[in-house]
Amino acid sequence: MRRVGGVEDMTRVAGMTERLDVEALLRRLTLEEKASLCIGSDFWHTAPVERLGIPAVMVADGPHGLRKESDEHGQGVLGGSVPATCFPTAAALASSWDVDLVEQVGAALGRETHAEDVAVLLGPGVNIKRSPLCGRNFEYFSEDPRLSGELAAAYVRGVQSRGVGASLKHFAANNQETDRARVSADVDERTLREIYLPAFERVVREAQPWTVMCSYNRVNGTYASQHRWLLTDVLREEWGFEGLVVSDWGAVHDRAAAVAAGLDLEMPPQLGHSDRAVVDAVRSGTLDEAALDTVVRRVLTLVDRSLEADAAEPAPPVDHEEHHALARQAASESAVLLKNDGLLPLDLYGGRRVAVVGEMARTPRYQGAGSSQVNPTRLDTALEALRAAVPEGTDLSFAAGYRLDAGDEAGLADEAAALATDADVVVVFLGLPAQAESEGFDRTDMHLPARQVDLLERVAAANADVAVVLANGSAVATAPWDRHARAVLETWLPGQAGGGAAADLLLGAANPCGRLAETIPLRLEDNTAFLNFPGDSGHVRYGEGVFVGYRGHDRLCQEVAYPFGHGLSYTTFAYGDARVDVTGSHQAGDLRLRVTCRVANTGDRAGKEVVQVYVGDVEASVARPPWELRGFVKLDLAPGESADAVVELDARDLSFWSPSVRDWVLEAGEFRIGVGASSRDLRSVVPVQVDAPRVAAPLGAMSSLQEWLADPAGTAALREVLGTTADGRLAGALGHAELQRVVGNFPMETLAGFPNVDLDHAILDDLVARVHRSAS
């Protein structure tokens, strides 16, 4: 069982499940016991109350594998965890664009978590990849909120299907490691609503994670752990979150303020400090005990859910071989074939000579560093997997080419170049060493180590038939070197079975089907966050607004190395003309757009195609990206087979967030629905006319003349009060077209003070009253 502490029958609901009677317990708890429950008991456990039979439950790091610390290591020490399957990191899984596969991985993670008596797995992370430099990008899915949200929801469903909870993190606007515990992410509400919150929203609404983890940083000056608008107004009251909010480890600075904001559990506990602060705040009247009861109720409910799951289904034994096979499949389907002129898959007929170059072929980089670091149950290397899989008679040789540490590399590149000279084909394994990216710090550039690029140039000079296999958690710049390779296969951080997956893909036992979940720019400087990352003086300004990732590259008409959604296959696919069927209406609340496109496998291999649906607003009152991903389908097609890709859209998919209206706004007019293989490869674009009632902020004295004239009620009030001319235009100075061009964007309050305008403050008050009466 996942608990410690005594049991007292009267605190439990009768029956086999040993459920806690939460309300009865709340009535019996002392103030001090309540305070203890909202801060945990040690690094990984909630607090028990043995007097009342309330057990502690354990949480443990994820998200791509369970990191439960073993008993012989101290709490909070990295590297001392029990063996667990290390699946591909989120950066890799996102490139699968496969909801079902991610749910299977989540279920396997849940099974291992349950077997180790852990109640909550701390993942997934859905923070948006604002900059490719973020040191923790390997742990996050995408630069796009729709892709992030759909995959994370599948992950949570999978984990929680096995009777353990997930922890959706890091809420919110945690997009860098630099000064992460203090920095204020200064971001406008529209950008929050359209880019940084939707993935969280989708997971909460569709999968109801047991917990949400707040982030370290401040959001517009307020620590996330004390941010009531985020933790209560948005998360609970708008989205309907029913679970517990836990702090990131060390994110709480004022426990009483955090309780009032809606933070339920502080981890790890500041024993004797945070609990005492809560007790003192309640006794002094600065914290309502009802607010404390609310967070304690949520902690007890989490414990109760864990007990219920324990009693309902004892943890079955884990089949680590089965999970390793799933990890290999996931790694294979997450790899992205960026470039290929026909070199891959390798054709190893008649005893051909293959040179494998690069230390990473035998010493793989397969996971990230920091709190997510897993102790794998086993580890495949690409070198050994290739040796085991190449046809009999193939001459496969190896040269390290470089070191992963700072040691002496004398002669390594010479050896690799000599080996390449005598080979028929060369496979070069490159990537970022572990010390180049990690939780805790951000990168300063996007480049591969210079010695690796130099090695590739020397190998390519000796043999033109070069395939590159990449291993990295964050996007790396490819433009400086990919001309030296005929094929480039991006495997990200592929987990413990990544070596076998790489061999499968290189030899054609598997067909690449991954697609980029983030843009690879030509230069770091092309990233729209470049001028505002990572900030300074305790602030980082999200000055690019909604133009993150491909949204920004498209808006600036920039060329990129490889676009969002890109990925090649060993087969080919043909797209038919897309069809968009519109039903319902926005005004009635039932607007739906059904997008259908026929896709055929026109090659001679079975393969999977990710059909992507993008929306563009042709004419909007606000700046919008040219295209935004709004849905996708992954089709598995045999040679010659075709199938329909169908994606359902609704009004939200066409809308933008209006801070003045404080809601999503759909403007009537023409939209484009694009269907294709990437954000830059839309095979079919369909124009669609959408009708919607006009939505605008309420008119007032600070509304501009243009806003009054654009509003039917405003125009009617002006005409009624100020009159009209014989030709029907507004009477007086405000009716002159030239004046409207010059001062039309002035607030009416300002114009009311101008002596040459037929408007004063009394008349303006009357106008405002009239439009408010007409709206009521």
Side-chain angles (χ1 to χ4, degrees):
M1 302 289 281
R2 289 169 284 188
R3 58 184 188 269
V4 297
V7 174
E8 194 170 297
D9 289 340
M10 63 189 302
T11 65
R12 298 186 183 278
V13 173
M16 295 296 293
T17 59
E18 295 188 325
R19 300 283 301 279
L20 296 182
D21 188 334
V22 172
E23 296 306 318
L25 286 168
L26 265 176
R27 290 191 294 270
R28 299 187 63 200
L29 287 164
T30 67
L31 177 58
E32 288 76 12
E33 288 169 338
K34 291 177 183 178
S36 73
L37 283 168
C38 74
I39 68 168
S41 60
D42 62 24
F43 211 81
W44 298 115
H45 292 84
T46 62
V49 179
E50 296 190 12
R51 180 181 71 85
L52 297 177
I54 300 172
V57 297
M58 185 178 188
V59 302
D61 273 324
H64 53 270
L66 176 67
R67 192 180 74 84
K68 178 188 177 184
E69 292 177 355
S70 55
D71 294 337
E72 59 267 26
H73 291 83
Q75 291 195 12
V77 177
L78 299 179
S81 59
V82 299
T85 306
C86 181
F87 288 94
T89 65
L93 284 177
S95 294
S96 75
W97 292 60
D98 193 322
V99 172
D100 293 337
L101 175 64
V102 173
E103 187 164 345
Q104 290 178 50
V105 170
L109 289 166
R111 193 176 296 115
E112 294 193 16
T113 302
H114 192 190
E116 286 291 343
D117 296 331
V118 173
V120 177
L121 182 70
L122 300 177
V126 294
N127 296 100
I128 294 298
K129 298 183 181 183
R130 176 176 178 247
S131 167
L133 299 182
C134 176
R136 212 166 178 178
N137 272 355
F138 68 88
E139 207 171 322
Y140 303 141
F141 287 100
S142 177
E143 67 188 30
D144 182 83
R146 173 57 62 91
L147 181 58
S148 296
E150 293 207 13
L151 295 178
Y155 175 104
V156 171
R157 286 194 299 269
V159 169
Q160 296 188 168
S161 71
R162 295 299 179 259
V164 297
S167 193
L168 183 66
K169 60 185 187 181
H170 306 89
F171 191 61
N174 178 198
N175 309 102
Q176 64 187 62
E177 294 298 284
T178 301
D179 200 22
R180 60 175 172 160
R182 301 179 304 177
V183 71
S184 176
D186 298 337
V187 52
D188 66 271
E189 186 179 359
R190 181 185 167 206
T191 300
L192 276 173
R193 294 283 193 169
E194 293 189 25
I195 302 296
Y196 297 102
L197 296 185
F200 290 98
E201 179 183 3
R202 182 170 293 274
V203 179
V204 167
R205 291 186 185 276
E206 294 185 0
Q208 277 294 342
W210 286 16
T211 73
V212 168
M213 183 188 294
C214 84
S215 56
Y216 286 117
N217 55 287
R218 293 177 292 153
V219 179
N220 294 324
T222 301
Y223 279 108
S225 61
Q226 297 166 211
H227 211 301
R228 182 173 178 82
W229 181 79
L230 281 173
L231 302 186
T232 297
D233 296 353
V234 173
L235 181 62
R236 294 192 184 279
E237 295 177 4
E238 289 189 28
W239 300 347
F241 177 59
E242 300 170 356
L244 172 144
V245 177
V246 60
S247 73
D248 204 342
W249 267 231
V252 174
H253 303 276
D254 182 333
R255 189 62 188 103
V259 168
L263 183 95
D264 304 308
L265 179 62
E266 174 189 336
M267 293 297 285
Q270 299 178 72
L271 296 171
H273 175 72
S274 288
D275 47 349
R276 174 49 53 192
V278 170
V279 170
D280 291 347
V282 171
R283 286 185 172 153
S284 69
T286 57
L287 176 65
D288 189 341
E289 189 169 358
L292 178 60
D293 286 347
T294 296
V295 302
V296 171
R297 181 180 289 110
R298 293 171 184 152
V299 173
L300 293 175
T301 300
L302 174 69
V303 174
D304 185 45
R305 295 178 84 168
S306 176
L307 295 175
E308 178 188 19
D310 262 350
E313 182 183 356
V318 174
D319 186 339
H320 287 294
E321 288 303 311
E322 177 183 305
H323 285 188
H324 186 78
L326 176 61
R328 185 165 178 160
Q329 177 193 352
S332 175
E333 300 215 7
S334 300
V336 181
L337 186 60
L338 297 177
K339 174 182 179 179
N340 187 30
D341 69 358
L343 183 63
L344 296 182
L346 298 175
D347 189 0
L348 303 182
Y349 57 87
R352 298 193 82 200
R353 295 164 298 175
V354 180
V356 176
V357 172
E359 182 59 41
M360 285 187 173
R362 69 176 177 185
T363 308
R365 172 92 197 285
Y366 63 97
Q367 66 172 325
S371 62
S372 67
Q373 195 165 319
V374 178
N375 179 15
T377 57
R378 56 183 279 195
L379 182 60
D380 294 347
T381 72
L383 181 58
E384 290 306 313
L386 285 167
R387 282 173 172 162
V390 295
E392 186 176 352
T394 302
D395 180 4
L396 189 149
S397 53
F398 170 74
Y402 56 85
R403 295 173 61 100
L404 294 176
D405 56 24
D408 183 16
E409 292 189 330
L412 294 182
D414 292 338
E415 178 189 4
L419 195 69
T421 301
D422 295 331
D424 294 304
V425 63
V426 185
V427 182
V428 182
F429 286 78
L430 306 175
L432 294 177
Q435 62 269 25
E437 56 179 349
S438 171
E439 178 183 355
F441 63 86
D442 295 318
R443 292 189 296 166
T444 57
D445 62 62
M446 292 184 64
H447 297 300
L448 289 173
R451 56 190 176 182
Q452 292 188 22
V453 176
D454 292 342
L455 170 69
L456 175 61
E457 292 177 355
R458 290 197 59 184
V459 168
N463 190 323
D465 291 330
V466 175
V468 168
V469 179
L470 291 172
N472 42 278
S474 306
V476 296
T478 57
W481 54 261
D482 66 358
R483 65 186 181 278
H484 298 300
R486 291 182 57 193
V488 179
L489 180 66
E490 171 64 88
T491 69
W492 305 107
L493 298 182
Q496 67 181 51
D504 292 340
L505 293 163
L506 291 168
L507 299 178
N511 191 349
C513 61
R515 303 293 183 264
L516 287 177
E518 56 196 284
T519 306
I520 301 179
L522 288 173
R523 310 177 308 153
L524 172 63
E525 292 82 356
D526 293 337
N527 177 261
T528 52
F530 177 74
L531 293 177
N532 292 294
F533 184 94
D536 57 65
S537 306
H539 291 264
V540 55
R541 188 171 68 89
Y542 286 44
E544 68 280 2
V546 300
F547 298 102
V548 176
Y550 70 90
R551 288 168 166 82
H553 296 299
D554 288 354
R555 178 76 176 187
L556 295 170
C557 300
Q558 291 175 335
E559 292 297 318
V560 298
Y562 299 102
F564 176 82
H566 168 76
L568 303 177
S569 172
Y570 295 154
T571 189
T572 54
F573 299 95
Y575 285 64
D577 292 333
R579 185 179 76 251
V580 180
D581 298 310
V582 181
T583 59
S585 70
H586 180 47
Q587 191 163 9
D590 61 353
L591 178 66
R592 298 292 183 271
L593 289 78
R594 183 181 176 89
V595 184
T596 306
C597 186
R598 193 76 170 175
V599 178
N601 182 345
T602 55
D604 57 4
R605 287 175 176 263
K608 296 182 179 181
E609 174 73 337
V610 178
V611 183
Q612 302 160 41
V613 175
Y614 295 82
V615 170
D617 190 348
V618 174
E619 184 176 355
S621 63
V622 298
R624 302 192 71 177
W627 293 105
E628 296 183 272
L629 181 73
R630 288 295 184 251
F632 58 93
V633 176
K634 193 167 189 176
L635 299 177
D636 187 356
L637 300 173
E641 183 182 7
S642 62
D644 283 339
V646 180
V647 170
E648 300 275 356
L649 307 178
D650 60 21
R652 172 76 177 265
D653 293 315
L654 309 179
S655 302
F656 62 87
W657 178 265
S658 170
S660 58
V661 176
R662 301 307 306 278
D663 204 351
W664 295 97
V665 171
L666 170 58
E667 293 181 328
E670 182 180 337
F671 289 82
R672 298 176 299 162
I673 310 299
V675 181
S678 82
S679 62
R680 294 285 177 93
D681 183 13
L682 299 180
R683 310 288 180 86
S684 182
V685 176
V686 180
V688 175
Q689 287 290 332
V690 175
D691 190 25
R694 184 178 181 274
V695 178
L699 291 177
M702 287 304 294
S703 300
S704 70
L705 173 60
Q706 291 171 346
E707 289 166 344
W708 276 79
L709 292 173
D711 188 290
T715 299
L718 285 169
R719 294 169 68 87
E720 183 178 346
V721 172
L722 301 182
T724 59
T725 63
D727 59 0
R729 62 182 176 84
L730 186 66
L734 295 182
H736 287 284
E738 182 65 25
L739 183 68
Q740 289 177 9
R741 283 194 293 270
V742 175
V743 299
N745 58 4
F746 276 34
M748 293 286 278
E749 183 181 74
T750 301
L751 295 176
F754 284 12
N756 61 334
V757 173
D758 301 328
L759 179 69
D760 59 25
H761 291 288
I763 294 174
L764 178 57
D765 290 342
D766 180 41
L767 286 167
V768 172
R770 286 171 182 265
V771 295
H772 285 179
R773 284 196 301 270
S774 68
S776 61

